[in-house]
Amino acid sequence: MIPPIRVQQLSKTFQDEGRGEVHAVRDVSFECAAGEIFGLLGANGAGKTTTLRILSTILKPTSGSASVMGHDVQAAPGEVRCRLGFSSATTALYPRLTARETIDFFARINGFPADKVKARVEHLIERFGIGDYANARVEKLSQGMKQKVALARTVAHDPPVLIFDEPTVGLDVLNAVEMQKVIAEFRAEGKAIIFSTHIMSEAEKLCDRIAIMHGGRIHACDTLAGLRAATGEHYLENIFIKSVTAASTPQ
């Protein structure tokens, strides 16, 4: 049975005017099951976002393959997008739309059944506690409320696969904790979730398995217990440093 998310020997190379050929992603492979939060842990520039942009059909890989719910990201990008929700700290919202209009719009463009859109929109407004602001323009909302609308927008079409790329960057502690709670609820609903972060405490709290990325490669991938056993370290920060240091040390 094909897992909801499968990445096989994925690579992405860019041509940079100043640096020449840049290997952003190198032979990355992993899978994510339904009801699992798979963490991509790495510093800025590790290759996390490039990997996720390939999965979401924004970028094409140089080599390798990736699929979402059995649909190849290159051969069937439309099928992938209908089954995927993507959210990040920089997810754009249309400022002049209201919160309700935003959710409605994204439900429709992602193929949610037209006769069920209205009920879906009202359900999400209630679930995320944005009823008092549902008819306010997004540009008038606080950052925390915008993040709730962005979450509702991401799941408007009820996709089985979710990607969160650094979703708590810029949020205060209370809103970040609320974001983590909602992501855990999605896992309980059986969604396959990729959670990209450089915040160790988030990965420790949320992720069922964690892949440590550095220099475009995955250098370790296991449960937190497995990573502890393999490295002899307890704290994820130390596990990360040990894995990255080992990867950077010439053999």
Side-chain angles (χ1 to χ4, degrees):
M1 186 174 181
I2 300 175
I5 302 171
R6 173 177 282 176
V7 175
Q8 296 177 298
Q9 297 181 303
L10 199 66
S11 294
K12 180 63 179 180
T13 303
F14 296 98
Q15 286 295 328
D16 183 84
E17 188 174 319
R19 296 180 293 167
E21 191 174 64
V22 177
H23 297 277
V25 178
R26 301 170 181 253
D27 296 320
V28 166
S29 298
F30 63 86
E31 295 179 353
C32 180
E36 178 184 30
I37 298 178
F38 182 86
L40 279 180
L41 183 65
N44 293 333
K48 305 187 307 297
T49 295
T50 299
T51 300
L52 300 184
R53 286 178 175 172
I54 293 172
L55 262 176
S56 61
T57 75
I58 296 172
L59 294 176
K60 292 184 177 180
T62 303
S63 62
S65 64
S67 65
V68 172
M69 301 302 294
H71 298 281
D72 186 87
V73 297
Q74 293 194 82
E79 296 294 334
V80 169
R81 288 191 289 269
C82 287
R83 292 162 174 81
L84 177 73
F86 188 102
S87 179
S88 76
T90 57
T91 295
L93 296 171
Y94 298 110
R96 296 183 66 82
L97 290 182
T98 67
R100 177 176 276 107
E101 289 168 343
T102 298
I103 303 168
D104 183 284
F105 175 73
F106 281 96
R108 293 181 188 278
I109 66 167
N110 284 300
F112 196 76
D115 60 333
K116 298 180 180 179
V117 167
K118 184 176 180 180
R120 178 67 177 167
V121 170
E122 296 309 315
H123 167 73
L124 292 173
I125 287 172
E126 181 178 356
R127 176 173 186 178
F128 292 109
I130 55 181
D132 290 344
Y133 307 91
N135 295 316
R137 286 183 178 177
V138 167
E139 63 188 354
K140 303 293 185 181
L141 300 178
S142 67
Q143 185 58 38
M145 193 57 63
K146 286 179 182 177
Q147 193 67 17
K148 289 185 178 182
V149 174
L151 262 178
R153 185 222 84 159
T154 300
V155 300
H157 54 304
D158 198 21
V161 173
L162 297 173
I163 293 176
F164 294 96
D165 185 19
E166 306 279 4
T168 62
V169 170
L171 295 182
D172 60 37
V173 173
L174 291 178
N175 281 310
V177 170
E178 181 65 22
M179 168 73 78
Q180 294 165 19
K181 177 184 175 184
V182 169
I183 292 172
E185 289 174 355
F186 290 145
R187 170 178 54 194
E189 294 171 5
K191 311 272 189 200
I193 301 169
I194 296 182
F195 184 81
S196 167
T197 185
H198 63 268
I199 302 173
M200 306 294 164
S201 60
E202 287 187 340
E204 284 184 326
K205 184 185 298 184
L206 285 174
C207 299
D208 299 292
R209 288 186 299 135
I210 299 168
I212 294 175
M213 287 196 75
H214 179 70
R217 298 184 187 274
I218 289 180
H219 296 281
C221 181
D222 207 336
T223 62
L224 181 55
L227 292 172
R228 284 170 172 166
T231 61
E233 301 287 349
H234 179 79
Y235 295 107
L236 186 53
E237 181 177 308
N238 294 334
I239 293 170
F240 177 80
I241 292 171
K242 194 167 189 175
S243 298
V244 168
T245 301
S248 304
T249 302
Q251 301 298 316

Coordinates of all heavy atoms in Angstrom, one line a residue, residues 12-16 19-26:
K12 N 17.4 18.6 -6.0 CA 17.1 19.8 -6.7 C 18.4 20.7 -6.7 O 19.0 21.0 -5.7 CB 16.0 20.6 -5.9 CG 15.7 21.9 -6.6 CD 15.1 21.7 -8.0 CE 14.7 23.1 -8.6 NZ 14.1 22.9 -10.0
T13 N 18.7 21.0 -8.0 CA 19.9 21.9 -8.2 C 19.5 23.2 -8.8 O 18.7 23.2 -9.7 CB 20.9 21.1 -9.1 OG1 21.3 19.9 -8.5 CG2 22.2 21.9 -9.3
F14 N 20.1 24.2 -8.3 CA 19.8 25.6 -8.9 C 21.1 26.1 -9.5 O 22.2 25.8 -9.0 CB 19.4 26.6 -7.8 CG 18.0 26.2 -7.2 CD1 18.0 25.6 -6.0 CD2 16.9 26.6 -7.8 CE1 16.8 25.3 -5.4 CE2 15.6 26.3 -7.2 CZ 15.6 25.6 -6.0
Q15 N 21.0 27.0 -10.4 CA 22.1 27.8 -10.9 C 22.1 29.2 -10.3 O 21.1 29.9 -10.5 CB 22.1 27.9 -12.5 CG 22.5 26.6 -13.2 CD 23.9 26.2 -12.9 OE1 24.8 27.0 -12.7 NE2 24.1 24.9 -12.9
D16 N 23.1 29.5 -9.5 CA 23.1 30.8 -8.9 C 24.2 31.7 -9.5 O 25.4 31.2 -9.8 CB 23.4 30.6 -7.4 CG 23.4 31.9 -6.6 OD1 22.4 32.4 -6.3 OD2 24.5 32.5 -6.4
R19 N 27.2 31.9 -6.9 CA 27.7 30.7 -6.4 C 27.9 29.5 -7.4 O 28.4 28.5 -7.1 CB 26.9 30.2 -5.2 CG 26.9 31.2 -4.0 CD 26.0 30.6 -2.9 NE 24.6 30.6 -3.3 CZ 23.7 30.0 -2.6 NH1 24.0 29.3 -1.5 NH2 22.4 30.0 -3.0
G20 N 27.3 29.7 -8.5 CA 27.3 28.6 -9.5 C 26.3 27.6 -9.2 O 25.1 28.0 -8.9
E21 N 26.6 26.3 -9.4 CA 25.6 25.3 -9.1 C 25.4 25.0 -7.7 O 26.4 24.8 -6.9 CB 26.1 24.0 -9.8 CG 25.1 22.9 -9.8 CD 25.5 21.7 -10.6 OE1 26.5 21.0 -10.2 OE2 24.9 21.4 -11.7
V22 N 24.1 25.1 -7.2 CA 23.8 25.0 -5.8 C 22.9 23.7 -5.7 O 21.9 23.6 -6.3 CB 23.0 26.2 -5.3 CG1 22.6 26.0 -3.8 CG2 23.9 27.4 -5.4
H23 N 23.4 22.8 -4.8 CA 22.6 21.6 -4.6 C 21.8 21.8 -3.3 O 22.2 21.6 -2.2 CB 23.6 20.4 -4.3 CG 24.4 20.1 -5.5 ND1 23.9 19.3 -6.6 CD2 25.7 20.4 -5.9 CE1 24.9 19.2 -7.5 NE2 25.9 19.9 -7.1
A24 N 20.5 22.2 -3.5 CA 19.6 22.5 -2.4 C 19.1 21.3 -1.7 O 18.9 21.3 -0.5 CB 18.5 23.4 -2.9
V25 N 18.9 20.2 -2.5 CA 18.4 19.0 -2.0 C 19.2 17.8 -2.6 O 19.3 17.9 -3.8 CB 16.9 18.8 -2.2 CG1 16.4 17.4 -1.7 CG2 16.1 19.9 -1.6
R26 N 19.6 16.9 -1.8 CA 20.5 15.8 -2.3 C 20.0 14.4 -1.9 O 20.1 14.1 -0.7 CB 21.9 16.0 -1.8 CG 22.6 17.3 -2.2 CD 23.9 17.4 -1.4 NE 24.6 18.6 -1.6 CZ 25.8 18.7 -2.4 NH1 26.3 17.6 -2.9 NH2 26.4 19.8 -2.5

